[in-house]
Amino acid sequence: MHSASDNRDQIIANQSQQKVEISPPETWVDRYGNYLYAYAMSRLRNADAAADCVQDTFLAGIKALERFDGSRDIKFWLRGIMRNKIVDQIRKSIKENKVDIDNEDEALLESFWFRYSGIATTNPDPWQFNPRKAYDNTEFWDVFNVCIDKVKQPARQAFVLRMLEDMETEEVCKVMDITPNYLWVLLHRARQQLKVALEEKWTGKDVK
Amino acid sequence: MFTCKQVSDSLSKGDYAKLPLAKRFFLRLHVKLCIFCGKYNRQVMDGQDMCRHFKQHEATNCKCAPELQEGQKDELKALLATESAKYPKD
């Protein structure tokens, strides 16, 4: 008669044996190349940088393959590696074009209200349409993807790292070499610009 | 009690979920009572929600996704074949 702990041990052993099939690296380009490239493009918005990221990801994946335990789909494992490569690309881009605080942002950072509350605007404009009603429409997300392009650097980099890659505030500040206060300002700018772009493209009206 | 600066810091970092229950209660109370923090909270929440939905869409379907060109794919395949040979399978 098997005890409860014997059964539990058997279940754990079975689960550890149910590993995902590991596709050989020779097949990765056809299987995952476009997926990873699309992901890199949505974050970096630069075809050359995205292609470099894909190459670096595959090469790093080959080196690390023997440490991969097969516990999840290799596509997502490669995407995890790619995430680090994307951050490296952004860090490199920022080193080449150092983030300079423009006059408008500097004024905002110095404003009494921002220093007191950490809030950039007390009265955000209401949406011209209800975005939640568009969430089930796949076209909306294609438009959203295009509108991210309308967000100017460095706000776009801050948006990608914080909102799309879910990096912690401290990490983003380290990568971009900025203070947390300036990160809040950049995210505020990103939200504003994305909102204007979405309203224009989705409703077809020039809202400026 | 929280100041507006502490609330906006917490909302922006998204770490309010990690706060102890009592602090989370006072943070929520401040957001309910303070017009400015209430509006800011909505902005931040809406933004996070929108990005979450976007990432779900990315993971499931993206018909207009850019693709690698055939020439790029061929170069990559050749490179991966060379690299793989350096790490023979057991």
Side-chain angles (χ1 to χ4, degrees), chain A residues 4-19:
Chain A
S5 65
D6 285 342
N7 285 339
R8 197 168 48 244
D9 288 344
Q10 187 60 47
I11 289 168
I12 291 168
N14 287 347
Q15 280 174 345
S16 70
Q17 284 165 10
Q18 286 167 7
K19 293 189 179 181

Side-chain angles (χ1 to χ4, degrees), chain A residues 42 117 123 132 162 166, chain B residues 8 13 39 46 49 55 58:
Chain A
S42 100
S117 69
N123 224 10
R132 287 176 192 277
R162 181 76 187 94
D166 291 326
Chain B
S8 66
K13 285 179 186 170
K39 283 185 182 174
D46 285 350
D49 198 39
K55 287 187 284 187
E58 258 192 327

Side-chain angles (χ1 to χ4, degrees), chain B:
Chain B
M1 282 297 288
F2 282 89
T3 62
C4 290
K5 188 80 168 69
Q6 287 168 320
V7 169
S8 66
D9 273 355
S10 211
L11 292 176
S12 297
K13 285 179 186 170
D15 64 359
Y16 41 85
K18 297 175 194 164
L19 293 172
L21 199 58
K23 283 197 171 176
R24 230 183 309 159
F25 170 77
F26 283 112
L27 187 147
R28 282 206 172 139
L29 186 64
H30 181 114
V31 167
K32 286 255 183 240
L33 297 177
C34 176
I35 295 171
F36 306 118
C37 290
K39 283 185 182 174
Y40 182 66
N41 179 47
R42 266 195 297 284
Q43 279 179 64
V44 171
M45 293 295 118
D46 285 350
Q48 287 173 355
D49 198 39
M50 202 177 272
C51 289
R52 194 168 36 246
H53 278 83
F54 171 64
K55 287 187 284 187
Q56 279 171 5
H57 162 79
E58 258 192 327
T60 52
N61 50 21
C62 206
K63 288 172 196 151
C64 335
E67 293 185 349
L68 286 164
Q69 292 166 10
E70 286 308 315
Q72 287 175 307
K73 284 186 182 179
D74 292 338
E75 278 178 29
L76 267 173
K77 284 179 192 176
L79 182 61
L80 294 198
T82 309
E83 281 303 304
S84 289
K86 295 178 187 173
Y87 302 90
K89 296 169 209 154
D90 295 328

Side-chain angles (χ1 to χ4, degrees), chain A residues 95-110:
Chain A
K95 271 194 183 140
E96 287 166 5
N97 307 293
K98 190 161 174 19
V99 173
D100 275 325
I101 305 177
D102 73 26
N103 292 336
E104 215 180 305
D105 289 348
E106 185 139 26
L108 181 57
L109 277 167
E110 290 302 311

